[in-house]
Amino acid sequence: MRKSFRLLFSLALSSGLAASWALAQVSLTDLSVALYAANPEAPAPPANWDVYRIVREKLGINLKFTMLPTGADGDNRLGALAAANDLPDLFEVRSLALFDRLVQQGQLAPVNSLLPQMPGRANDRYNDAKRNLLVTNNGQIYGFLEPVTLSRQYGIWVRKDWLDKLGLKTPTTLEEFFEVAKAFTERDPDGNGRNDTFGFGGVIDFDTAGILPGLGLGNHFQWVYGAYGVAGTWNYNPRAFAANLREANFRKATEYIRRLVEAKVIDPDWATMRRADLRTRWQQGRYGMFFESVGGLQAGLQNFHANNPNAELLLLPPPKGPEGKSSMGTYSSAGWLYAVSKRAIDSGKGAAIARFLEWAHRGEGYFLLGWGRYRTDYTLPNNVPTINTQVPINVRGSYTQMRWLAFNGNPLEMRGRYPEINVGGRKYVMHQLMAQAQRQGNWIDRTGDLVVKAASNQADLERYVSENLVQFVLGQRPINDANWSQFLSGLRNVRFEQYEAAAEKALKDSGYLR
């Protein structure tokens, strides 16, 4: 990726001339592609989109692109098309349950034979054997499962200016975290003479963007359970598989959160606030430490520094627990999933599909699908793709509705999507902060969690665990032997043992638990 993107772009354009001549000698292949909108606020690409002309002239493909409706409506649309034996040739699947059903119905084709036909893309995206287990059936790979490029971007941010003002060191352990949070709450770090700051801001949030928050209190508190070695839902111990909440350290982690709440160093509204409320409050300057993604930070920096002109933020490594363990939480390495219909392969379209995906991976196809119209939607200053924000998103977004086929997380791409921001006299290099969050978080890969099917009473099961833990940490139920034993015994009432047994079987059958 050290080569000039501008040079690659020029070479891609010129190399297409020879390909155009060669492909003019063969008939066109009709190729239907259906994806979820990359930019839901923008319409589909126009009929005169250059991509249609270019893939026809250079790849010999007559491309027909349609956008799937968001959410469950998209699954329903695909289900209806499958029932009519009319699935698109290449399409995106957001539900693994639907994917599994289509495999069992014989609607999807194995893609093993297509991988050698797109060596660049296959090597960069589809060579992770562990991730491919999610889409493998009887030794055959039935989908192109993309790696996640933007997961593990969460972390705890701390006000360095408050640390400096109060003469405190950056906390590295749970005990140090508690003492710093207490000082931020009680010692008026913003100097306004009012008792209006809190040591930590977090909410119960299960909107994960690649993070697997586990049962209970969500991803904003997984760093506490990580410090006790029980982050995530399952322990992945092949000899004694069970849910982490059965471990003694799970109770200890819950007791630590109770300690934070009891000391009033967490915003007292944390159990009922939404993520949007949290973001409003950290931008106002009410928290000395808060849980946030790099993307969320980037979106709020201007407002934060307008409200707090002298502020400075640092990204903390996850605090260590009493045994020296630490982790920001668990994550899945699985990203977008693309499937190929059996009908497409039976019709001889495999080579065209591979050709199109390889073209989308780099060079001309990468730029056209990922960034849009050169010098209109984006430019290349210093060889870094840079979005032209003067073009309205509902216009620019129309030309990048297929961008997830292109984007691959290369360094220049990350610099373009997460640029350097200078605000309030501070410099934040967002792509470096992204890399820092991914590197120092001690994240635990639990991709296998995705093979565990939801229980028939999943909502009741999750509600039981969450409500009990909230009662414990709020002090509505004391955390003692009798109450904790009652909590664990009550799992039988929501058939938790059956859920555990099904999870163990699924993980072993798929090869994630050995």
Side-chain angles (χ1 to χ4, degrees), residues 29 64 72 85 101 129 141 149 196 198 211 213 218 224 242 244 254 271 276 284 300 317 401 404 445 455:
T29 298
K64 179 183 179 182
N85 194 30
R101 187 164 75 247
I141 300 174
T149 59
D196 60 354
F198 297 98
I211 307 304
V224 178
N244 277 324
T254 306
Q284 290 171 341
Q401 291 290 20
W404 301 128
D445 187 345

Side-chain angles (χ1 to χ4, degrees), residues 136-156:
T136 298
N137 185 272
N138 292 326
Q140 295 292 309
I141 300 174
Y142 276 85
F144 302 116
L145 187 55
E146 302 281 327
V148 170
T149 59
L150 301 182
S151 72
R152 299 168 293 139
Q153 60 167 298
Y154 287 85
I156 301 169

Side-chain angles (χ1 to χ4, degrees), residues 27 99 176 202 241 265 335 344 383 415 452 456 462 506:
S27 59
F99 174 82
E176 291 173 357
F241 178 84
V265 301
N383 301 319
R415 287 179 62 186
V452 178
S456 60
E462 292 177 357

Side-chain angles (χ1 to χ4, degrees), residues 6 13 56 62 71 81 128 179 190 204 217 232 339 391 410 412:
R6 187 176 287 114
L13 287 173
R56 186 168 55 249
N62 185 33
L81 291 171
D128 187 305
E179 293 303 324
D190 59 358
I204 300 176
L217 299 177
V391 180
N410 67 70
L412 293 182

Side-chain angles (χ1 to χ4, degrees), residues 403-420:
R403 67 181 179 187
W404 301 128
L405 278 181
F407 279 170
N408 52 44
N410 67 70
L412 293 182
E413 176 182 298
M414 297 304 289
R415 287 179 62 186
R417 298 175 68 184
Y418 292 89
E420 178 180 310

Side-chain angles (χ1 to χ4, degrees), residues 294-307:
V294 174
L297 187 82
Q298 179 171 313
L301 276 175
Q302 292 284 351
N303 197 37
F304 172 72
H305 278 284
N307 294 326

